[in-house]
Amino acid sequence: LERLQCLNESREGSGRGVFKPWEERTDRSKFVESDADEELLFNIPFTGNVKLKGIIIMGEDDDSHPSEMRLYKNIPQMSFDDTDREPDQTFSLNRDLTGELEYATKISRFSNVYHLSIHISKNFGADTTKVFYIGLRGEWTELRRHEVTICNYEASANPADHKVHQVTPQTHFIS
């Protein structure tokens, strides 16, 4: 959560507050509201690889509730300029006031995620977007990072490196 980033939030740091435990999803004291327009962009780095299975998003009971959500995987430090590219998955959202409507992700696309970007591109017509809760469901596995291996590749073999024991042919006659 310390490295989670929310772009276009009206209050600095309020984007982190919507990622809370399931039991606290109905707590409406913590929310994020967009600043200049209806768009919000969350950059979520994970500490390992995640198989993302579902996402829940809860908003207000008015036109400030998000109506479209676009997911991008493994694009660290994503900005609004990067939202022009094709998303990995797009959802048309329904109003959810209880935080119980889960949107299933394409597991084949989201099986090896180390960074997730959530772009809320539209709402139901208000000037700003308001979100109270975002829940992610999936499986976490430890991130395995392979160290750099230093290798030497030979364009042509050096005969001194490859000693071959000479085999002298012997012929045996049977009489």
Side-chain angles (χ1 to χ4, degrees):
L1 279 178
E2 304 85 42
R3 296 187 298 142
L4 186 138
Q5 180 187 33
C6 181
L7 302 180
N8 195 33
E9 60 188 350
S10 59
R11 263 186 13 247
E12 186 71 31
S14 61
R16 286 189 191 102
V18 300
F19 293 91
K20 47 193 167 193
W22 168 257
E23 301 80 28
E24 298 174 19
R25 72 186 183 285
T26 55
D27 176 16
R28 294 187 168 266
S29 64
K30 294 179 182 177
F31 63 90
V32 62
E33 188 169 12
S34 62
D35 189 21
D37 56 12
E38 73 273 10
E39 291 186 271
L40 285 168
L41 181 64
F42 296 92
N43 284 313
I44 309 159
F46 295 116
T47 57
N49 284 327
V50 172
K51 181 189 287 187
L52 186 65
K53 296 181 177 181
I55 186 166
I56 297 173
I57 187 160
M58 187 174 96
E60 188 68 89
D61 188 19
D62 60 11
D63 288 344
S64 69
H65 192 290
S67 66
E68 185 180 76
M69 173 177 60
R70 303 166 67 178
L71 300 181
Y72 300 86
K73 70 171 191 171
N74 301 339
I75 308 173
Q77 302 302 316
M78 187 172 173
S79 69
F80 283 108
D81 295 336
D82 300 320
T83 59
D84 294 337
R85 69 172 64 190
E86 185 69 26
D88 291 298
Q89 192 166 357
T90 303
F91 295 98
S92 292
L93 304 177
N94 296 314
R95 285 190 171 101
D96 183 12
L97 309 176
T98 59
E100 295 177 0
L101 181 60
E102 182 176 324
Y103 299 92
T105 59
K106 297 176 186 169
I107 295 178
S108 61
R109 282 222 175 135
F110 293 95
S111 63
N112 194 18
V113 181
Y114 59 86
H115 188 280
L116 180 69
S117 297
I118 302 173
H119 178 220
I120 295 173
S121 53
K122 297 179 192 168
N123 62 22
F124 286 99
D127 293 336
T128 60
T129 299
K130 204 172 199 181
V131 175
F132 289 98
Y133 173 75
I134 295 178
L136 304 173
R137 187 175 62 84
E139 296 174 10
W140 180 88
T141 56
E142 189 175 350
L143 186 63
R144 292 188 190 102
R145 301 204 52 138
H146 297 285
E147 297 297 323
V148 176
T149 305
I150 300 173
C151 298
N152 292 325
Y153 294 98
E154 298 176 356
S156 61
N158 182 358
D161 292 340
H162 306 282
K163 295 190 183 208
V164 178
H165 299 289
Q166 284 279 341
V167 177
T168 50
Q170 294 181 355
T171 314
H172 299 283
F173 292 104
I174 299 174
S175 49

